[in-house]
Amino acid sequence: QSALTQPRSVSGSPGQSVTISCTGTRSDVGGYNYVSWYQQHPGKAPKLMIYDVNKRPSGVPDRFSGSKSGNTASLTISGLQAEDESDYYCCSFAGSDTFWVFGGGTNLTVL
Amino acid sequence: QVQLQESGPGLVKPSQTLSLTCSVSGGSVSSGDYYWSWIRQHPGKGLEWIGYIYSSGSTYYNPSLKSRVSISLDTSKNQFSLEVTSVTAADTAVYYCATKRPNAFDIWGQGTMVTVSS
């Protein structure tokens, strides 16, 4: 069982927006602004999409955005495109004993 | 741009030691720019942080694996390595090496599948 809770699946139509939630505790998501999001296509390595809750690495489209409220972080993808269909994982720092925890992953289907 | 490549046996027997190496190009394991990390993914499951090492040699491990895991640097070969002792079927996974800078895992290797089986 993963430390952070994500919905198993979400879906949306091309052009729509979807939001993926990532729920933790005040010991991880709620306690630090070190939430990151990763996109993973089948058979491929994860790719960093968001770091420090809401920052985008160079090259990541601005259709991807992140936010946090309390113990829940969210990844929003606007203007859905077919290539966004993938698995998405959240990750959070969880203090100097546990360090880093991941969510169980969410499968995004573009209808 | 740093690139990472994992290597090592794809099959390990139960109770033996799993050993993997990550070769680094485009950067130096001796630089203070990154924490050199290992992350694994069980088949069909989510990601699990294993640990990382800094250029100073300081190591940080997932407390659930700490008693069986060791990460080391080889500056002469510009590589870093992972050892997991006393493996069981539960250690069967795709193992990724990655860089952490500063609060996310920004560069990943392609991953290597390790199966624990007799």
Side-chain angles (χ1 to χ4, degrees):
Chain A
Q1 186 170 350
S2 300
L4 306 179
T5 301
Q6 299 180 233
R8 276 189 174 264
S9 63
V10 298
S11 63
S13 299
Q16 288 186 334
S17 293
V18 294
T19 296
I20 300 171
S21 62
C22 171
T23 301
T25 68
R26 61 182 179 182
S27 296
D28 38 63
V29 174
Y32 306 92
N33 288 323
Y34 299 148
V35 176
S36 50
W37 290 90
Y38 302 84
Q39 178 191 65
Q40 186 180 34
H41 287 115
K44 300 295 186 181
K47 175 187 176 183
L48 178 64
M49 304 301 284
I50 295 288
Y51 67 98
D52 290 355
V53 176
N54 57 13
K55 297 175 183 171
R56 276 179 289 106
S58 174
V60 172
D62 60 6
R63 302 184 295 103
F64 291 83
S65 62
S67 63
K68 190 184 86 167
S69 177
N71 298 334
T72 298
S74 299
L75 172 71
T76 298
I77 309 170
S78 58
L80 268 180
Q81 299 182 3
E83 59 260 36
D84 299 333
E85 187 163 290
S86 187
D87 292 326
Y88 291 86
Y89 294 90
C90 62
C91 178
S92 175
F93 184 66
S96 57
D97 291 329
T98 306
F99 293 99
W100 298 93
V101 290
F102 284 90
T106 298
N107 180 255
L108 168 62
T109 300
V110 181
L111 302 170
Chain B
Q1 171 76 326
V2 169
Q3 294 186 343
L4 307 173
Q5 177 68 59
E6 305 89 348
S7 60
L11 181 64
V12 181
K13 288 181 165 49
S15 80
Q16 293 191 341
T17 296
L18 178 163
S19 297
L20 297 174
T21 296
C22 183
S23 298
V24 179
S25 58
S28 171
V29 297
S30 300
S31 77
D33 292 337
Y34 300 101
Y35 285 77
W36 306 98
S37 311
W38 288 97
I39 295 165
R40 69 182 183 181
Q41 186 170 32
H42 296 104
K45 303 293 185 183
L47 299 162
E48 179 180 34
W49 175 73
I50 299 172
Y52 46 59
I53 188 167
Y54 191 53
S55 56
S56 63
S58 297
T59 51
Y60 307 82
Y61 298 123
N62 185 323
S64 69
L65 298 169
K66 187 174 184 177
S67 63
R68 298 192 298 123
V69 167
S70 175
I71 298 175
S72 59
L73 290 176
D74 186 337
T75 56
S76 65
K77 295 181 179 178
N78 209 32
Q79 297 174 337
F80 62 105
S81 298
L82 170 71
E83 286 196 343
V84 182
T85 62
S86 305
V87 297
T88 69
D91 294 305
T92 293
V94 175
Y95 286 76
Y96 295 98
C97 56
T99 60
K100 184 187 80 70
R101 186 187 64 164
N103 300 311
F105 301 98
D106 58 343
I107 301 170
W108 296 64
Q110 66 183 28
T112 187
M113 179 69 200
V114 177
T115 301
V116 178
S117 175
S118 55

